[in-house]
Amino acid sequence: MFCLLAEDRPSPKELEELELLNRALEKALTVRKSILKTPLETRGATGHKWAGEAHAPKKAEEQQVPVSVEDVPECRNVKAGSKKPLLLKKPSPYQLRAPYRTDPDVKKLQRKVPAGCVSQGPRTAGKISSKGMTSKQGRSHRTAAGASGREVCAAAEPQETPGLSESAPNEQQSFSGGDSAAGKNSMAAGKQLLDAGKKSSGFLAESSKKEDTACAWGRSITPGTGTLQEKGCQLKLPLPYRKAYSRNSRAWERCRLCQTSADAAAARTRFMERIQTTFCSLKLTPSPAEIEEELRGLQDVPSRLRQYVEAEPADPSTLQEEYESLLTLEGVQTTVSQCLQKLQLLQEALESQLRLHPDCTGDVGSCCPACVPVRGQMCDSADMLAVPLLCYSSLQELRDLFALKLQVSMLHQEIALQKVMMAELLPVLEARPLLEGSAGLFRAIQSQLCEGGRRFPVLVRDELLD
Amino acid sequence: MRGQRREQHREQHREQHREQHRERGSALPAAVGALCRALPPRARPAPDTLRRARFDRPQASLDFWKLLYVLLKQIHGGRWTESDAIGAQVSFVKWALWYHGYGRPQLQRLPADGSAGSRELLLAFSWLLHSPGLLEQLLARNRVQPGDQTSVCTCGDELPSSQEGTSEAGPEERVDVRYLQWLNGRLRLQWCSLHAQHQEQCKLWYKIHLFTSGSHMDQNLGHFSVTETDLIRQPENYKQLLQLLDSETKQLEAFLEWKQLEPVYWQWMETVLDNMAEEGNMCESQNVHVEKRRLPEATPWAAKLTGQMDRLSRDLVALQEHLHQLVAQRKAAWWEKVATREELQKERFSATARKIQESTELKLRGLTSLCAPKKKMHGLCRLVLRSKHPAGRMGFGQCGSKEAVAAVSAAEVITELQVREASLQRELQQLRQQCRHRLDGIAEGLEGVICISP
């Protein structure tokens, strides 16, 4: 991780101090606190030097207590249009405070919700904070202390969102240079995330500092000007944005509902039919785009079918079960042969389409992009204009989703790398006459190709004792 | 000079001809104008370009090639710069049109320097309007999203394919395998840190979504995104966002206008076809099988596709053999059992058999939908936090307006991803197994060393 923050390399003394701080935090219990306004809205110059240090302990704590942070922090101050003052008032940086005890009164305040709120936000927040409470109390002191350490980081986390949101518009508006917003790949997005992470770690550092301050000062519970948690459901977007947004979404809706008139459809069909008569006679077969789309649909079929097969009991007890099992297997068998037939058709179609492939003079790469159109060929025009939403219902779901996406991308890359390495490394071993010294090479290549570089074979010298 | 004047006369005649044929003569400029305005801002042609192309003016060719290039690149999510060579543009457009199934041979024969063929390109452009739904695709792809976006595509074409294909090793020809190992380790580290960042981002998103629930004026969403929350605090940072929203609204309104005036445009295009028929341009469709020298495997796209097909076919055949054995076994066992109890089971069993058949059919209904192509979303989606219980959502859940949103649930995507992951793992393991075989063979050749695999 440090390789990312090379420019903010902390001094050993600071590292040591931070280590002490962390240990102290680990010993402390959680304190539910509302952060005082002034110590909160601070962006000190000293915050920056913490960028590197805060990163490591934060990650360390994450690994210690792999529990999602439902502890609801409340140090985020949201005020429309307010600017943050840039002063940082704090005691000397390395004063460690005595451990704190959980203050149940603070928790209760948390659950008090401003009356006007209709949404579930505060309710769930209240529930979550109680969950957090019980989970913390259920654990040993040490881990609870760990949680409090994370609490600090968690409390500081909302501060990170400025960093993230600043980079977000960049993502949205990166149309220049033909880089359409959807053209990001996971690596580029990852880079932006890392940048955001860099920025946010800066913020995090400052706020972890502030947390310390707050700990130092504020066992007092100050409502402050309201945190995002309390006021979040009452926020209102600024009027110009609201107008622009509602005009925009109304326009989208009208476009989606807009039907092609009968004249237009007729005229269009006439044109299309006429022009298709001038095509080479292969309009009947699927287009390359359709072939690719169909193939994509078939790709996971073997895995899913295997699931069905494996789900059948190996030794069914009753006669009925056996019959059912038999029918299922036969059904799967039929599906497999259907798929094979379909695949055959696709192969033939691809061959005939490839015969008409245009000459790709020059750069072959640029004329055969790997990217695919937005919604594929099969999608309805109206569907394309609907609002694309991805609905999740819990934090865990969201995290699982992202973890899986990453895993899939990583596997794609591993497979590609595996193929390349096979092509390059195996010939090296197969070609040369194997000398004594090449055992090491063999070992390295074996581990790389067969174990993904994670494990190594053991090479034992075959010596007979004389 | 005279030739030009004759051309002009002919043009005027054609013009009048057209005017007579259409009752609403003035609708065409409006239609073409609306069409141009409905295209994305950076790829908007002047209406004149289309008009000039209709008469096959060579001057319009370059512009038209560029227009198609930019539009098709956008659909395919590729990148382009202003300085891309005309040869590359022509290649790409020809490939992309082939990809979408446009089969006019005259287009493929157009010169690579982009000096001619504006009328052909106009035809292709009009064809694209319908066949992959060019306008709708462009609108969807370039959608201004003030939300928290993520893609639900499970295709895995997201990794950038390196075009160079040459190794970036140092000047020496031999690269130490330890360098490779080190690079691999670094790569894994990067993935881990990316994972950590993602998880971090998820937590933050969740918090924002949770805390701002109930504030958004759009009931489908219900809460703010990070951008919108920041917008509240610092509205002056987001002027560009507002501008983008406004320009997109104008584009959408142009689209609606275009939909109204569509018939005029298609009639106009038909006159183009009429002209071409007069000129005897249309009967070349029969002489197609001339150019067949292209080897299918030469292009990376084709190679990738044939590779996928081969792997798929191998998997399916293996599964088929496995099933064949299994079913034969089971059937034999079954008939044995039934034969011994035939007297007892005959009548009673047929009733239960029918029930079992029905329930199995239900179970297997999922299978038939497997092979049918699904409507997959490849683009970006906005993340929305929605609780699972519509009853608790006062004012949120409208089951009626579900069509307005193409909502995908995270649970579905997770299931798909899990299946995808399983497939990919199997593929990787198969590859590794191959390597193991080959390396075992090599290991036997190692003098005096025994290899013990982990």
Side-chain angles (χ1 to χ4, degrees):
Chain A
M1 233 67 72
F2 279 115
C3 59
L4 301 172
L5 303 164
E7 51 285 316
D8 290 326
R9 212 159 274 290
S11 76
K13 175 171 183 277
E14 288 172 347
L15 273 175
E16 197 187 297
E17 306 277 11
L18 190 66
E19 205 33 40
L20 284 172
L21 171 66
N22 286 327
R23 264 186 257 132
L25 288 174
E26 275 175 37
K27 293 195 191 121
L29 292 173
T30 320
V31 176
R32 276 276 163 203
K33 45 199 175 296
S34 298
I35 304 303
L36 297 173
K37 180 178 171 191
T38 31
L40 175 64
E41 298 179 29
T42 48
R43 294 272 180 269
T46 47
H48 284 292
K49 75 170 181 232
W50 288 81
E53 308 151 25
H55 211 58
K58 181 168 162 297
K59 293 293 175 267
E61 282 163 17
E62 265 194 55
Q63 268 128 37
Q64 283 169 31
V65 186
V67 150
S68 70
V69 183
E70 293 110 351
D71 322 289
V72 170
E74 50 303 331
C75 50
R76 172 149 182 150
N77 242 334
V78 179
K79 269 175 62 172
S82 71
K83 303 251 189 199
K84 292 187 181 54
L86 290 184
L87 292 181
L88 175 63
K89 247 175 53 169
K90 64 181 193 297
S92 93
Y94 303 112
Q95 260 175 23
L96 301 172
R97 299 297 162 173
Y100 298 98
R101 291 190 6 235
T102 311
D103 193 342
D105 296 331
V106 186
K107 293 266 187 283
K108 287 207 198 93
L109 178 76
Q110 214 40 48
R111 293 202 206 109
K112 245 189 287 173
V113 158
C117 258
V118 182
S119 77
Q120 331 166 281
R123 283 201 300 273
T124 39
K127 259 187 269 156
I128 284 173
S129 64
S130 66
K131 244 201 297 177
M133 269 283 305
T134 45
S135 65
K136 270 182 233 112
Q137 285 164 352
R139 282 186 248 132
S140 68
H141 275 313
R142 198 173 167 280
T143 46
S148 84
R150 303 194 71 243
E151 170 89 333
V152 171
C153 293
E157 272 158 5
Q159 302 296 347
E160 296 180 31
T161 48
L164 281 176
S165 59
E166 273 158 30
S167 55
N170 295 333
E171 291 178 31
Q172 312 295 339
Q173 289 134 30
S174 60
F175 293 137
S176 56
D179 206 352
S180 70
K184 287 196 289 259
N185 51 50
S186 60
M187 289 312 234
K191 250 193 286 164
Q192 278 163 330
L193 272 176
L194 291 175
D195 289 339
K198 264 197 246 188
K199 266 194 241 171
S200 58
S201 63
F203 289 132
L204 168 65
E206 295 146 9
S207 33
S208 64
K209 209 32 254 159
K210 276 166 261 147
E211 277 309 307
D212 199 42
T213 312
C215 292
W217 300 356
R219 296 201 40 201
S220 58
I221 303 138
T222 340
T225 49
T227 63
L228 184 64
Q229 184 194 353
E230 292 168 4
K231 296 281 181 77
C233 52
Q234 295 172 330
L235 291 174
K236 272 197 166 318
L237 290 164
L239 190 61
Y241 177 78
R242 260 188 293 154
K243 281 205 209 141
Y245 183 89
S246 34
R247 274 201 302 262
N248 182 276
S249 57
R250 269 198 305 260
W252 273 107
E253 191 57 19
R254 284 195 332 254
C255 285
R256 189 183 71 87
L257 294 172
C258 145
Q259 307 267 7
T260 314
S261 70
D263 306 336
R268 191 170 62 187
T269 324
R270 270 200 312 269
F271 171 78
M272 294 299 283
E273 281 173 359
R274 277 185 71 181
I275 198 173
Q276 267 160 214
T277 58
T278 74
F279 284 6
C280 330
S281 55
L282 295 183
K283 191 46 197 149
L284 307 165
T285 64
S287 69
E290 286 165 349
I291 295 176
E292 185 165 11
E293 189 74 19
E294 297 253 357
L295 191 61
R296 216 172 273 125
L298 282 178
Q299 264 191 336
D300 291 329
V301 164
S303 286
R304 289 199 216 238
L305 289 180
R306 259 176 222 276
Q307 280 176 2
Y308 271 93
V309 172
E310 279 154 22
E312 291 303 314
D315 220 353
S317 42
T318 73
L319 212 58
Q320 285 93 326
E321 267 184 34
E322 196 166 337
Y323 188 58
E324 190 178 338
S325 185
L326 185 58
L327 284 181
T328 314
L329 289 176
E330 283 184 340
V332 174
Q333 211 181 19
T334 330
T335 315
V336 172
S337 36
Q338 280 173 359
C339 287
L340 276 171
Q341 278 174 1
K342 195 170 190 196
L343 189 59
Q344 176 83 3
L345 289 174
L346 286 178
Q347 275 172 327
E348 288 166 3
L350 182 64
E351 259 178 64
S352 48
Q353 286 282 5
L354 281 174
R355 265 181 240 128
L356 299 172
H357 195 288
D359 285 334
C360 275
T361 56
D363 192 355
V364 181
S366 75
C367 78
C368 308
C371 308
V372 73
V374 173
R375 300 289 172 86
Q377 304 284 93
M378 313 292 180
C379 237
D380 210 2
S381 312
D383 284 344
M384 273 194 264
L385 298 180
V387 180
L389 292 185
L390 174 59
C391 305
Y392 69 100
S393 57
S394 71
L395 177 59
Q396 194 54 41
E397 223 177 48
L398 190 62
R399 292 174 70 179
D400 289 341
L401 178 68
F402 274 85
L404 269 173
K405 267 155 59 90
L406 202 74
Q407 182 70 6
V408 168
S409 298
M410 200 162 72
L411 279 170
H412 271 114
Q413 191 187 52
E414 269 198 78
I415 290 176
L417 283 175
Q418 182 78 15
K419 290 185 182 157
V420 167
M421 284 200 292
M422 277 170 76
E424 302 246 340
L425 293 178
L426 283 175
V428 167
L429 282 180
E430 284 169 347
R432 70 199 301 173
L434 291 176
L435 322 161
E436 271 293 308
S438 60
L441 180 64
F442 177 84
R443 184 167 165 273
I445 293 184
Q446 222 269 20
S447 99
Q448 206 50 50
L449 285 179
C450 302
E451 313 293 336
R454 287 179 171 85
R455 288 174 303 190
F456 286 84
V458 174
L459 297 179
V460 177
R461 202 170 279 284
D462 188 7
E463 278 170 359
L464 298 170
L465 295 172
D466 290 321
Chain B
M1 283 302 252
R2 232 176 293 143
Q4 266 188 9
R5 230 174 284 137
R6 230 178 290 148
E7 247 301 306
Q8 286 172 15
H9 280 302
R10 235 178 289 160
E11 207 183 301
Q12 283 168 9
H13 276 300
R14 284 206 202 99
E15 192 101 27
Q16 289 165 2
H17 210 224
R18 249 187 302 130
E19 298 263 28
Q20 286 164 15
H21 274 226
R22 275 192 332 275
E23 303 164 67
R24 297 167 283 160
S26 62
L28 183 62
V32 174
L35 177 60
C36 293
R37 275 178 296 123
L39 289 170
R42 294 188 65 240
R44 233 167 247 174
D48 269 349
T49 313
L50 272 79
R51 237 173 261 128
R52 267 185 251 128
R54 185 248 183 277
F55 298 111
D56 208 8
R57 296 252 171 282
Q59 310 91 310
S61 299
L62 276 178
D63 288 335
F64 226 109
W65 278 115
K66 174 125 188 262
L67 171 68
L68 283 180
Y69 177 71
V70 171
L71 292 177
L72 287 167
K73 272 281 185 187
Q74 281 194 18
I75 287 193
H76 284 265
R79 299 175 198 197
W80 81 94
T81 65
E82 291 296 323
S83 56
D84 286 342
I86 183 67
Q89 290 182 16
V90 169
S91 277
F92 178 77
V93 173
K94 285 186 181 175
W95 183 87
L97 284 170
W98 168 82
Y99 179 81
H100 287 282
Y102 185 73
R104 248 176 99 73
Q106 292 87 339
L107 181 98
Q108 301 293 345
R109 282 193 228 123
L110 288 175
D113 57 355
S115 55
S118 51
R119 192 167 55 181
E120 281 296 329
L121 293 175
L122 179 63
L123 285 179
F125 175 69
S126 309
W127 185 87
L128 282 173
L129 283 178
H130 172 77
S131 198
L134 188 71
L135 282 179
E136 288 89 345
Q137 291 249 4
L138 287 169
L139 283 172
R141 190 170 263 274
N142 292 331
R143 190 170 189 137
V144 173
Q145 272 274 36
D148 301 317
Q149 304 213 72
T150 186
S151 84
V152 292
C153 173
T154 57
C155 299
D157 292 328
E158 302 133 14
L159 297 172
S161 50
S162 121
Q163 314 274 348
E164 303 97 59
T166 58
S167 65
E168 292 172 359
E172 311 124 39
E173 285 179 5
R174 293 157 42 180
V175 178
D176 199 332
V177 73
R178 284 168 294 183
Y179 180 62
L180 192 66
Q181 291 175 310
W182 179 73
L183 281 176
N184 200 47
R186 256 187 74 184
L187 181 64
R188 281 223 301 277
L189 187 63
Q190 298 284 14
W191 279 113
C192 289
S193 70
L194 185 60
H195 173 79
Q197 298 280 6
H198 274 168
Q199 297 290 302
E200 193 65 36
Q201 192 177 44
C202 288
K203 274 186 274 193
L204 297 174
W205 274 342
Y206 178 71
K207 275 194 198 123
I208 299 268
H209 294 177
L210 192 61
F211 294 167
T212 59
S213 293
S215 311
H216 208 290
M217 62 266 183
D218 186 342
Q219 299 279 33
N220 279 325
L221 301 175
H223 60 73
F224 295 157
S225 68
V226 170
T227 311
E228 287 167 339
T229 315
D230 199 43
L231 183 68
I232 295 179
R233 289 162 50 213
Q234 296 169 338
E236 60 283 348
N237 286 356
Y238 290 94
K239 296 212 175 77
Q240 199 185 359
L241 179 62
L242 288 181
Q243 282 169 4
L244 284 173
L245 277 175
D246 283 332
S247 87
E248 191 182 65
T249 312
K250 291 205 191 72
Q251 199 181 333
L252 290 167
E253 287 166 0
F255 177 76
L256 285 167
E257 214 184 303
W258 149 254
K259 287 302 256 185
Q260 300 263 355
L261 299 170
E262 248 194 290
V264 175
Y265 180 83
W266 294 114
Q267 286 164 7
W268 184 53
M269 289 311 299
E270 276 203 78
T271 63
V272 176
L273 287 178
D274 291 336
N275 290 142
M276 290 177 77
E278 286 168 10
E279 293 167 20
N281 209 343
M282 308 281 267
C283 23
E284 303 189 43
S285 58
Q286 318 307 330
N287 325 329
V288 181
H289 301 276
V290 188
E291 26 243 337
K292 272 204 280 181
R293 35 195 163 74
R294 165 66 54 182
L295 300 166
E297 285 77 38
T299 61
W301 178 85
K304 178 181 81 153
L305 231 62
T306 38
Q308 280 176 359
M309 283 191 189
D310 286 339
R311 209 172 53 80
L312 197 56
S313 130
R314 276 199 309 265
D315 276 349
L316 284 173
V317 164
L319 188 58
Q320 195 181 42
E321 284 172 8
H322 174 65
L323 274 173
H324 192 70
Q325 274 182 353
L326 201 56
V327 168
Q329 235 177 27
R330 291 287 187 89
K331 255 195 180 157
W334 168 255
W335 284 118
E336 258 185 49
K337 288 202 185 147
V338 172
T340 53
R341 310 190 209 176
E342 194 168 345
E343 321 82 351
L344 302 168
Q345 300 283 3
K346 226 175 179 176
E347 292 117 17
R348 260 191 310 161
F349 201 73
S350 52
T352 45
R354 231 174 296 126
K355 259 191 280 169
I356 294 180
Q357 275 168 14
E358 284 167 9
S359 72
T360 327
E361 264 177 43
L362 271 179
K363 194 164 56 157
L364 295 178
R365 199 163 297 165
L367 280 186
T368 47
S369 71
L370 265 191
C371 303
K374 290 172 280 234
K375 282 189 179 180
K376 288 196 175 182
M377 294 217 280
H378 292 290
L380 293 174
C381 292
R382 177 172 177 153
L383 281 170
V384 167
L385 174 61
R386 261 191 207 165
S387 83
K388 284 202 182 120
H389 309 291
R393 285 155 47 196
M394 305 180 267
F396 285 170
Q398 297 119 326
C399 303
S401 71
K402 276 272 156 65
E403 305 90 37
V405 296
V408 177
S409 83
E412 288 168 20
V413 179
I414 287 179
T415 333
E416 267 192 51
L417 283 172
Q418 281 168 340
V419 174
R420 197 89 258 281
E421 191 204 354
S423 308
L424 289 172
Q425 279 284 9
R426 262 189 42 242
E427 191 182 343
L428 187 62
Q429 292 311 322
Q430 280 169 3
L431 285 173
R432 289 200 175 145
Q433 199 59 29
Q434 270 182 42
C435 289
R436 236 172 248 126
H437 280 312
R438 287 170 73 173
L439 284 170
D440 284 343
I442 296 173
E444 291 170 12
L446 276 181
E447 292 280 331
V449 178
I450 304 173
C451 178
I452 307 168
S453 317

